[in-house]
């Protein structure tokens, strides 16, 4: 997946959070539709160094364009 895949995801999440019944979406009470700030290349490299592995390209793209926080357990 490219950065284009994640384009606008933050806005879509916020729109979903504002819809009637959003609190009934599976996992919504755990994650609350919260997205943190994106990670820059230096942060991604530091994370990979801490983990001792390279992140998959799709996950790297997501973290660099859409979200910093860990996924909620109910969304994995």
């Amino acid at each position: 997946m490219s950065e284009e895949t994640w384009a606008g995801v933050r806005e879509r999440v916020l729109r979903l959070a504002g819809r009637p019944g959003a609190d009934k979406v599976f996992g919504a009470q755990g994650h609350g539709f919260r997205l943190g700030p994106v990670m820059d290349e230096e942060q991604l490299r530091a994370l990979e160094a801490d983990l001792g592995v390279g992140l998959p390209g799709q996950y790297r793209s997501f973290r660099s364009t859409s979200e910093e926080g860990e996924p909620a357990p109910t969304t994995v």
Side-chain angles (χ1 to χ4, degrees):
M1 292 182 179
S2 68
E3 289 184 13
E4 290 178 17
T5 302
W6 303 113
V9 72
R10 297 178 71 81
E11 293 79 13
R12 292 191 305 265
V13 167
L14 292 174
R15 280 197 311 267
L16 178 59
R19 296 192 65 166
D23 60 327
K24 306 285 189 269
V25 172
F26 181 74
Q29 292 180 349
H31 59 67
F33 297 96
R34 289 182 303 274
L35 294 172
V38 299
M39 296 178 79
D40 62 26
E41 185 62 28
E42 183 177 328
Q43 291 171 312
L44 287 168
R45 287 185 183 151
L47 176 61
E48 290 173 325
D50 287 347
L51 295 173
V53 297
L55 297 172
Q58 292 176 349
Y59 189 60
R60 234 175 175 280
S61 177
F62 176 70
R63 299 291 294 243
S64 68
T65 59
S66 302
E67 218 267 319
E68 177 186 48
E70 296 297 323
T74 55
T75 62
V76 178

